[in-house]
Amino acid sequence: MRRGKVDFAGVQKEICLAYTPEAKLGDYVIVHVGFALNVVDEIEAHKIFEALRELGELEEAQDGTDDRAVPPASLDPPGGTDD
Amino acid sequence: MKFIDEYRDPLAARKLAQAIRRTATRPWTIMEVCGGQTHTIVKSGLQDLLPPEVTLVHGPGCPVCVTPLDLIDSAVAIASRPGVIFCSFGDMLRVPGSSKSLFEAKAGGADVRIVYSPLDAVTLARANPGRQVVFFAVGFETTAPANAMAVWQAAREGIENFSVLVAHVLVPPAIEAILGAPDCRVHAFLAAGHVCTVMGFAEYEPVARRYRVPIVVTGFEPVDLLEGIHMALLQLESGRAEVENQYSRAVRREGNRPAQQRIVEVFEVGPRTWRGIGEIPASGLRLREPYRRFDALARFPVAQGQVEESGECLAGLVLRGLKKPQECPAFAVRCTPERPLGAPMVSSEGACAAYYLYGRHRQ
Ligand code: SF4
């Protein structure tokens, strides 16, 4: 069974790569209970931020609201062993 | 961490919240199916960013919560047998059975161990040929490839002292059960991204058409959820009902084929009882014939009877999005994570635990 080392923000774990035959060194993978389920698509990952940047430019020209008005999003790693 | 931090960016969240406020003109109820998403929503306070038109209700996507009481009792009975090493993911241990939890069985001397992966249980079986190693195979489609691989590996190596107690559930039939109920009040669904990483999303297309309901495959970070909500609202406001993919960095329409092949080789679809909801046809996985000898229930016959739920717990209503946790009279009073009355207060993915942990009961 194909295996590989995956780095989780500094903690390394041996992960089964049987379901991601395309994974290569340096790729980002989604891991669930010891198995890589997918290689993250970097191009798709950027799309939302490009869309937001365009949205942001339009808005800032319109109103210029205060950035601090938002509760900060959480910074903890995602919890749970499932889904 | 790359691909996580940027999806927690408060500025991006604020921009999406503005877009949501501009889009919503009428009251809409959106259900996120997965308990992991529920936790992000409650923990990050996303509901506070939404306009009053948008109501989020939390779905049944907590595998620990929907595992039937009689299976927990079977797990406790099997774990308590001499010579058995019983392995499970951590959050199953504290789920109350009808008389005790796995954790209490462990305290009473049973050899119950928490593992990170089902392959760890196979490794234990290999290392302890004189013991019976049983793995509690709980989960949705996301966990099925791992559990299928564990059974397949044991079969291939002839590790006959390994078996699994299977409690696998499937998401699309649960969505259909919720949509088909006369009291359904859900207008759109956020489908669980990691389930779709494995299964793809073609299965949801007939559901969206039949019930005229938008289904948006959505990730787990705050920015993912807000974008998924926005995509669902754009559909609702324009009268569309389609399957869309917010989580395109991890999900393709066809899903992960090698994983699906291994699941289908080891498991077949069968009926399954969901705790708090009841039996849903074709909503679970069981071992296929060549692998049935790895079924722990066949190997260790335990008395399985009808067992009564605690009368006070509203888990069934919470899991179908009909009640919010704080509407349960026991919530935070007689039911807490330290002394849970029902599974949604135990699991890291349960809605009651999310509301309790992130202080929603104090508002
Ligand atoms: S708060 Fe406790 S008793 Fe009430 S529904 Fe949730 S788990 Fe059940």
Side-chain angles (χ1 to χ4, degrees):
Chain A
M1 213 187 306
R2 194 168 167 244
R3 291 174 159 273
K5 271 217 177 71
V6 176
D7 183 291
F8 299 81
V11 182
Q12 295 204 341
K13 273 195 185 130
E14 269 255 317
I15 293 300
C16 176
L17 299 176
Y19 299 134
T20 50
E22 74 279 22
K24 45 186 201 317
L25 204 65
D27 278 348
Y28 283 79
V29 287
I30 288 181
V31 173
H32 183 68
V33 297
F35 287 76
L37 295 179
N38 202 294
V39 177
V40 176
D41 184 326
E42 304 217 7
I43 295 167
E44 290 292 331
H46 288 127
K47 280 190 179 159
I48 163 102
F49 299 103
E50 281 153 28
L52 281 173
R53 225 163 281 134
E54 283 165 29
L55 205 68
E57 273 158 25
L58 290 176
E59 267 162 32
E60 254 121 49
Q62 274 168 11
D63 56 30
T65 30
D66 184 0
D67 287 352
R68 289 163 301 177
V70 174
S74 98
L75 287 173
D76 291 353
T81 50
D82 229 300
D83 303 284
Chain B
M1 202 167 22
K2 196 175 171 194
F3 298 127
I4 293 193
D5 293 342
E6 59 265 54
Y7 290 92
R8 297 178 181 177
D9 173 30
L11 181 61
R14 187 180 64 85
K15 285 179 184 168
L16 280 164
Q18 280 173 351
I20 288 170
R21 278 196 290 275
R22 276 196 301 270
T23 306
T25 64
R26 277 174 285 162
W28 299 112
T29 297
I30 301 175
M31 174 180 276
E32 86 282 355
V33 173
C34 167
Q37 294 172 327
T38 305
H39 266 243
T40 304
I41 288 166
V42 181
K43 185 174 188 176
S44 310
L46 296 190
Q47 296 181 107
D48 304 337
L49 294 181
L50 298 177
E53 286 85 0
V54 182
T55 305
L56 294 181
V57 290
H58 316 308
C62 161
V64 171
C65 303
V66 300
T67 298
L69 195 53
D70 58 331
L71 260 179
I72 311 267
D73 289 347
S74 300
V76 168
I78 292 170
S80 305
R81 291 172 75 108
V84 165
I85 302 175
F86 193 90
C87 303
S88 169
F89 298 133
D91 46 4
M92 285 310 292
L93 261 61
R94 295 185 55 249
V95 179
S98 56
S99 69
K100 58 178 148 179
S101 64
L102 281 167
F103 190 74
E104 286 159 338
K106 183 179 165 71
D111 191 348
V112 178
R113 304 191 193 181
I114 295 172
V115 292
Y116 164 66
S117 169
L119 290 182
D120 299 341
V122 178
T123 303
L124 266 174
R126 205 185 282 118
N128 295 277
R131 308 276 302 271
Q132 284 287 337
V133 176
V134 183
F135 178 69
F136 204 171
V138 174
F140 283 101
E141 290 92 328
T142 325
T143 318
N147 289 340
M149 186 68 91
V151 173
W152 182 84
Q153 184 84 13
R156 206 182 58 151
E157 286 185 44
I159 304 177
E160 299 295 332
N161 62 326
F162 176 75
S163 60
V164 283
L165 181 58
V166 182
H168 259 289
V169 278
L170 303 171
V171 169
I175 290 186
E176 282 213 65
I178 288 169
L179 283 168
D183 48 3
C184 174
R185 54 176 184 146
V186 180
H187 299 114
F189 283 90
L190 306 183
H194 289 164
V195 167
C196 298
T197 300
V198 174
M199 300 307 290
F201 52 82
E203 286 179 280
Y204 295 98
E205 288 163 0
V207 180
R209 272 198 299 275
R210 194 172 318 133
Y211 296 92
R212 293 214 43 77
V213 60
I215 301 177
V216 181
V217 178
T218 303
F220 297 83
E221 299 300 332
V223 166
D224 289 319
L225 285 152
L226 290 168
E227 191 188 22
I229 292 165
H230 187 226
M231 288 167 77
L233 288 171
L234 286 172
Q235 286 202 48
L236 289 168
E237 291 280 345
S238 63
R240 285 182 297 129
E242 295 160 15
V243 178
E244 289 183 311
N245 184 12
Q246 182 278 328
Y247 201 36
S248 57
R249 66 186 184 279
V251 173
R252 291 183 308 259
R253 182 172 180 276
E254 70 277 13
N256 184 325
R257 293 266 196 236
Q260 290 165 19
Q261 277 160 9
R262 184 60 27 97
I263 295 172
V264 168
E265 190 182 331
V266 173
F267 291 114
E268 64 190 9
V269 173
R272 166 68 53 197
T273 301
W274 295 54
R275 187 172 188 175
I277 297 179
E279 185 173 312
I280 305 177
S283 70
L285 294 176
R286 61 183 179 207
L287 291 167
R288 256 182 215 287
E289 184 45 62
Y291 297 94
R292 286 235 177 106
R293 66 180 194 280
F294 294 98
D295 184 349
L297 278 181
R299 193 172 296 186
F300 310 99
V302 283
Q304 261 191 319
Q306 283 297 325
V307 272
E308 291 292 316
E309 291 280 353
S310 147
E312 217 181 349
C313 179
L314 301 183
L317 296 172
V318 172
L319 288 166
R320 284 182 293 147
L322 298 173
K323 284 259 189 266
K324 293 259 183 167
Q326 72 273 35
E327 294 175 77
C328 170
F331 177 78
V333 187
R334 286 172 305 283
C335 180
T336 62
E338 291 73 43
R339 297 177 60 88
L341 281 181
M345 189 56 96
V346 180
S347 165
S348 59
E349 294 178 306
C352 300
Y355 275 71
Y356 188 90
L357 287 174
Y358 306 121
R360 297 286 137 178
H361 60 293
R362 281 185 242 113
Q363 289 183 357

